[in-house]
Amino acid sequence: MSERRIIDLRSDTVTVPSPEMRRAMAEAAVGDDVFGEDPTVRRLEEMSAAVTGKEAALFVASGTMSNLVAIMSHCGRGDEAIAGDQAHIVQYEVAGAAGVAGAQVRTARNDARGRLDPEEVESLIRGENVHHPNTALLCIENTHNRCSGAVIPPEDTQELADLAHRHGVRVHIDGARIFNAALAAGASVADLAGPADSVGFCLSKALGAPVGSVLCGDGAFIARARKMRKMVGGGMRQAGIIAAAGVYALEHMVERLAEDHENAKVLAHGLAELPIVDLDPETIETNIVIFRVEDAIGFARGLKRAGVLCTMPGPGRIRMVMHYGIERADIDEALDRVRHAALAPA
Ligand code: TLP
């Protein structure tokens, strides 16, 4: 392998479609999806509903649009949604819940494994009072991006959903990487999504498609979400061309996620041997490796010079993500370059 090859571990969003995926896209049967006439989009939506165990599904442009449309469909203006303080919805979605949906997000603490404390969540659900917003929604993220790709076990989701439902609060799962969660938990996606009223998952991350996410839920929810998607300009026309990549991803890209999980473990064990790295490799469950180094900016800069790209999800924190296109040899090479960079003067 040449020294010059860039090993891009910034995100699993950087994958490019395989030749077979491109062929499936080129050959896709298409129609006008706003008229409900695109057979490939319909197929993707049927497959997505089946795999998540929900009645219906809606193809959307992105994970962010999936969460936004879910919030718009579950919440009225001035309603409140509870989400973890480390949730993607809170950290990375340009406050779309407030800015577009008109919903206020109230945060509960995520622990290091991305979990929410049921007691805290229950205490945040508003009682009947003329001053209070109506608590309409609880959002759970699985796997949890900022919490090292941790898996939220099905029993945790069930407990949270039971308490939310007791209070008339609906539950949405941001399952951008729920296929990774299912693999690591040894459960089905439908088991993980079962307790929730809606779940969105991304095709454009670990599953390797160039674009798209799917939002799933019951028929009435998806009918409303379809209107909300149109409202935010997400009604796409011959979208079968991109949905075909999603169909291909569901059929061919799910099994290979095991490779990413294995590579993440190898990388984490290698990194943990470096004195400057603070990481317990046993906490790495899926395809995201997050660790602490004192000078994260200098560390990332040194790695970039060495041709290894990563991100910084916070002060003193480095994130590396495994994905299609990154193989075991790349991990060995990345570890070599990290060791070198760690020893080199800044
Ligand atoms: N996450 C991206 C960045 O936005 C941080 C990444 O590189 O991990 N939910 C979760 C849990 C996500 O991790 C992401 C993307 C989204 C939603 C949004 O998906 P897109 O990027 O398709 O809008």
Side-chain angles (χ1 to χ4, degrees), residues 82-329:
I82 298 172
D85 58 1
Q86 298 304 311
H88 196 277
I89 286 173
V90 172
Q91 299 278 345
Y92 298 117
E93 299 187 7
V94 209
V100 185
Q104 169 163 291
V105 178
R106 195 169 191 208
T107 56
R109 208 179 70 82
N110 281 119
D111 73 8
R113 309 303 302 150
R115 288 170 304 205
L116 299 171
D117 172 10
E119 263 181 44
E120 187 192 356
V121 169
E122 191 152 27
S123 76
L124 295 176
I125 297 175
R126 311 277 190 170
E128 207 31 68
N129 183 309
V130 71
H131 301 88
H132 290 166
N134 167 51
T135 307
L137 185 64
L138 169 65
C139 302
I140 298 170
E141 187 173 312
N142 200 6
T143 63
H144 203 291
N145 182 346
R146 281 176 65 84
C147 298
S148 304
V151 176
I152 309 299
E155 54 281 10
D156 286 29
T157 307
Q158 187 70 59
E159 186 180 357
L160 288 165
D162 286 347
L163 83 82
H165 289 150
R166 265 201 313 278
H167 292 277
V169 173
R170 307 194 69 181
V171 178
H172 170 67
I173 298 178
D174 174 355
R177 299 183 179 84
I178 201 163
F179 284 86
N180 298 81
L183 172 66
S188 68
V189 170
D191 283 342
L192 295 184
D197 301 285
S198 61
V199 57
F201 66 85
C202 289
L203 298 158
S204 62
K205 303 209 161 48
L207 296 181
V211 191
S213 286
V214 189
L215 178 63
C216 308
D218 70 25
F221 169 78
I222 291 299
R224 179 161 167 74
R226 197 172 288 282
K227 290 195 100 152
M228 295 300 117
R229 181 187 70 173
K230 193 77 182 77
M231 189 189 275
V232 296
M236 297 180 281
R237 302 295 177 171
Q238 285 71 33
I241 289 180
I242 48 175
V247 169
Y248 183 91
L250 289 179
E251 285 175 343
H252 300 282
M253 302 294 281
V254 174
E255 271 184 19
R256 61 154 307 285
L257 297 179
E259 259 175 69
D260 294 343
H261 292 193
E262 190 51 38
N263 284 339
K265 287 194 176 77
V266 172
L267 180 70
H269 280 276
L271 287 168
E273 284 171 12
L274 296 172
I276 59 163
V277 167
D278 178 5
L279 166 66
D280 175 359
E282 299 310 322
T283 59
I284 302 305
E285 295 180 88
T286 61
N287 68 328
I288 297 180
V289 178
I290 295 181
F291 54 95
R292 291 192 171 275
V293 287
E294 217 166 87
D295 174 17
I297 295 173
F299 184 88
R301 199 182 293 135
L303 281 194
K304 191 172 179 190
R305 275 200 300 269
V308 178
L309 306 184
C310 58
T311 56
M312 281 181 286
R317 297 173 86 214
I318 298 282
R319 184 184 84 153
M320 295 179 171
V321 187
M322 311 302 109
H323 53 82
Y324 172 66
I326 294 293
E327 296 179 359
R328 174 59 199 268

